[in-house]
Amino acid sequence: MAPRSRRRRHRKPPSSVAPIIMTPTTIVTPMPLTPSKPGPSIDTLGFFSLDDNVPGLSQLILQKLNMKSYEEYKLVVDGGTPVSGFGFRCPQEMFQRMEDTFRFCAHCRVLPSGLSDSKVLRHCKRCRNVYYCGPECQRSDWPAHRRVCQELRLVAVDRLMEWLLVTGDFVLPSGPWPWPPEAVQDWDSWFSMKGLHLDATLDAVLVSHAVTTLWASVGRPRPDPDVLQGSLKRLLTDVLSRPLTLGLGLRALEIDVRRIGGSTVHVVGASHVETFLTRPGDYDELGHMFPGHLGLRVVMVGVDVANGFSQSTSTSPLEPGTIQLSAHRGLYHDFWEEQVETGQTDHPDLVAAFHPGFHSSPDLMEAWLPTLLLLRDYKIPTLITVYSHQELISSLQILVELDTHITAYGNNPFMSLKPEQVYSNPNKQPVYCSAYYIMFLGSSCQLDNSQLEEKVDGGI
C-alpha cells in the first residue's frame, strides 16, 4: 500500500531558498473515463474567484454564453453536451458574445448592467482588449495600463486566432527532427530547425478560407500578415510547451526512454487545458525529441479531465516509436492505490504537474498534500511548472518545508510564448504558461527503505 504519511504542522516558510543548479544531463484506445472522484476543482475555484475582483462577472459570462448555470458551463468545458439551448445562430453572434464577456471597466470594475443611460463601455484603441466606462476612468487607469498595453494587443489577436485550433483549421506541423536532439535546447533552436518548412506551413494557414472567414466574423480590421504569423507561432508554442517540457524533465532527470516495453509519464492535476482539445498528434514532438525510444505512455490524471478525452490506461507493451495518451478522472493518490498498486497501470518513470496551484489555496493544498508526500516518499522523479517567479518562490518554500529533495529549478526554455491575461484583472502583468519549472526526487533526508517504513508507521 502507499505510505500513509500524516500531515505535519507547517513551520513558518523560510524567507528565501538558496539557488540550486540543474545537473547536466500514437496509439489511442477509446474507453469510458473512470468515474469522478471527489476533490476540489481548480477550474471551479478559478471561475468563481472572478467575482472577487469584478462582482457579478461569473454571471455575466454565463449570460453571454447562453448558459443557465456553472454546471452547464463546466459540462461544455469538459466536452459534454449542454441541456439547454446553448449555441449561436452564426459565427458573428458567437464572437460578439465571447467579446461581451470581457466588457467591464478595467478601472472601476462596473459591468454593463451597472452603467447609467449616458455611459457605454469602450475599448482601448491601442490594444482593443481593455474596456472603460468613460474618459475619466481611462485616464486614471493609464499609468497601470501603459505597462501592459502592447502585450494585451497580442492577447486580443491570439484569443481570436486560437479558434483555428478549435475548428482544426490550424494543425500543428510535426515530423522527425533533422537536427540532433541535443542541439535543440529552446524555442530559438526549435524554430531554426523547422526553418522554411514551418514558415510555408504557416503561410498556407494565413491564406486559407478559414482565416478569411474568421476575421470577417469578428467585426474588426484584419491585422497584417506578420502579426497573424506571430500569433500562430505563439499558439504553436502554447500547445507544444507541455510535451516538450515533459521532454525537458525526461532529459534532466536522466530517464531511460529505451526501456523495453516503453516508458510512462503521469500528468497529475490534469484539467480541460491538457485534455479538452488535445489530439494524439500534439505529442508527436515528444517522440521526435527522443529518436529510438521504445514507446512513451502519457497518462492524464485529474478531477477536471475532459469527457471527450477517453482513452485506455493499459499496461500492454507499446510498439517502439509510438506514443499513447490516456486519461483517468480522480485524485492522484486514489489513482495510485486503485491503478498503480494493483498493476492496472504502469509505475511512472516521471510525474509532471502543470500549474498545480497548491500555493494559492488551502483547499488545493489540502488535496495536493497526499500526492506530494506520495511522490516524495516513493522517490518518483517529479516535474512541476508555474506561471511566475512569485509562484516559483512560494512553491519552492512549500516543497522545502515538506523536505523534498529539489534537484533543479529555473526558467523553462520551452515555456509558452503566448501571454495569458488575468481575466478579472486585465491590467495585471500577463503571465506565460510553464514559465518556470521545479524538479524534485525523494526526500532531502534521503531515507533508505527501512527508515522510510519506520517513519511512515510512526507518523511525521
Side-chain angles (χ1 to χ4, degrees):
M1 294 291 292
R4 297 293 192 181
S5 302
R6 294 188 301 182
R7 289 174 213 147
R8 70 190 66 193
R9 292 168 57 186
H10 281 221
R11 303 185 301 272
K12 182 179 178 181
S15 58
S16 63
V17 180
I20 298 176
I21 307 300
M22 186 175 71
T23 56
T25 49
T26 309
I27 302 171
V28 177
T29 308
M31 179 179 177
L33 283 169
T34 304
S36 178
K37 297 289 183 180
S41 160
I42 194 168
D43 292 345
T44 304
L45 293 173
F47 184 83
F48 287 110
S49 70
L50 297 175
D51 293 336
D52 294 340
N53 282 332
V54 185
L57 181 57
S58 64
Q59 288 304 309
L60 173 70
I61 293 172
L62 295 177
Q63 174 194 348
K64 294 301 180 180
L65 297 182
N66 293 336
M67 295 178 182
K68 296 180 179 178
S69 65
Y70 172 77
E71 288 70 27
E72 190 169 14
Y73 171 86
K74 187 70 166 63
L75 185 65
V76 174
V77 167
D78 285 345
T81 303
V83 294
S84 71
F86 171 74
F88 305 99
R89 291 169 294 183
C90 61
Q92 289 86 347
E93 181 188 4
M94 179 189 69
F95 286 114
Q96 183 59 60
R97 289 280 190 143
M98 290 174 64
E99 186 62 29
D100 285 347
T101 66
F102 292 87
R103 289 181 185 271
F104 60 88
C105 181
H107 185 68
C108 71
R109 304 295 197 260
V110 67
L111 296 174
S113 58
L115 293 174
S116 64
D117 293 339
S118 60
K119 287 189 174 184
V120 62
L121 288 164
R122 300 186 186 278
H123 61 238
C124 167
K125 292 183 179 180
R126 296 177 182 86
C127 68
R128 307 182 69 97
N129 195 22
V130 170
Y131 287 83
Y132 296 101
C133 63
E136 291 185 5
C137 275
Q138 186 168 11
R139 282 194 295 269
S140 299
D141 204 51
W142 177 239
H145 181 62
R146 69 185 302 174
R147 297 194 298 267
V148 296
C149 186
Q150 183 59 35
E151 275 186 285
L152 295 184
R153 178 174 176 269
L154 303 181
V155 172
V157 175
D158 292 350
R159 187 162 67 232
L160 296 170
M161 293 294 283
E162 197 167 17
W163 181 246
L164 300 175
L165 289 171
V166 177
T167 60
D169 291 299
F170 178 31
V171 178
L172 300 182
S174 186
W177 288 9
W179 289 11
E182 58 272 13
V184 183
Q185 296 291 330
D186 52 25
W187 285 123
D188 286 340
S189 52
W190 188 90
F191 277 111
S192 295
M193 176 186 66
K194 294 295 182 178
L196 296 177
H197 177 71
L198 175 61
D199 290 339
T201 301
L202 299 182
D203 288 342
V205 174
L206 294 180
V207 298
S208 67
H209 178 69
V211 173
T212 300
T213 302
L214 169 66
W215 286 97
S217 301
V218 299
R220 63 175 58 177
R222 175 172 172 160
D224 293 336
D226 60 329
V227 174
L228 296 183
Q229 186 183 79
S231 178
L232 290 178
K233 287 184 175 180
R234 291 191 296 274
L235 293 173
L236 187 153
T237 67
D238 191 55
V239 176
L240 294 183
S241 174
R242 286 181 284 276
L244 292 184
T245 298
L246 294 182
L248 174 73
L250 291 170
R251 277 179 177 176
L253 293 165
E254 300 181 340
I255 308 298
D256 182 11
V257 297
R258 300 198 178 198
R259 193 184 68 183
I260 295 176
S263 303
T264 299
V265 177
H266 291 169
V267 177
V268 188
S271 71
H272 75 279
V273 176
E274 289 81 23
T275 56
F276 183 32
L277 294 176
T278 298
R279 300 171 176 88
D282 293 351
Y283 278 71
D284 286 352
E285 288 297 292
L286 175 60
H288 299 320
M289 199 174 188
F290 298 96
H293 73 83
L294 298 184
L296 293 168
R297 182 180 286 110
V298 180
V299 185
M300 310 282 186
V301 184
V303 296
D304 291 314
V305 168
N307 288 330
F309 202 87
S310 53
Q311 287 91 31
S312 164
T313 55
S314 69
T315 58
S316 57
L318 296 175
E319 291 293 328
T322 60
I323 296 179
Q324 181 192 74
L325 301 182
S326 57
H328 179 102
R329 182 176 292 162
L331 296 171
Y332 186 69
H333 54 277
D334 292 330
F335 170 77
W336 182 276
E337 291 187 3
E338 298 166 6
Q339 298 286 322
V340 178
E341 288 192 338
T342 60
Q344 297 181 54
T345 299
D346 282 340
H347 191 281
D349 298 289
L350 172 71
V351 166
F354 297 110
H355 313 110
F358 52 73
H359 70 285
S360 63
S361 161
D363 288 337
L364 286 174
M365 188 63 217
E366 181 85 6
W368 271 99
L369 189 57
T371 290
L372 293 173
L373 295 178
L374 185 155
L375 297 173
R376 181 201 68 184
D377 293 344
Y378 273 107
K379 301 180 182 178
I380 299 171
T382 303
L383 165 71
I384 290 172
T385 70
V386 296
Y387 283 106
S388 66
H389 188 264
Q390 181 180 356
E391 288 188 22
L392 174 69
I393 296 303
S394 298
S395 300
L396 283 170
Q397 289 176 339
I398 291 172
L399 292 173
V400 167
E401 198 173 275
L402 294 178
D403 292 331
T404 59
H405 176 52
I406 298 171
T407 61
Y409 65 84
N411 297 296
N412 180 9
F414 291 110
M415 75 174 190
S416 168
L417 301 182
K418 181 171 80 73
E420 298 285 341
Q421 181 182 18
V422 179
Y423 208 125
S424 60
N425 192 3
N427 284 323
K428 189 173 182 179
Q429 188 68 40
V431 295
Y432 296 83
C433 291
S434 298
Y436 298 88
Y437 67 85
I438 303 170
M439 300 181 196
F440 68 85
L441 177 60
S443 168
S444 58
C445 299
Q446 294 298 297
L447 303 179
D448 60 31
N449 289 336
S450 61
Q451 291 174 309
L452 173 60
E453 293 301 326
E454 180 180 350
K455 189 170 184 179
V456 170
D457 292 341
I460 297 178

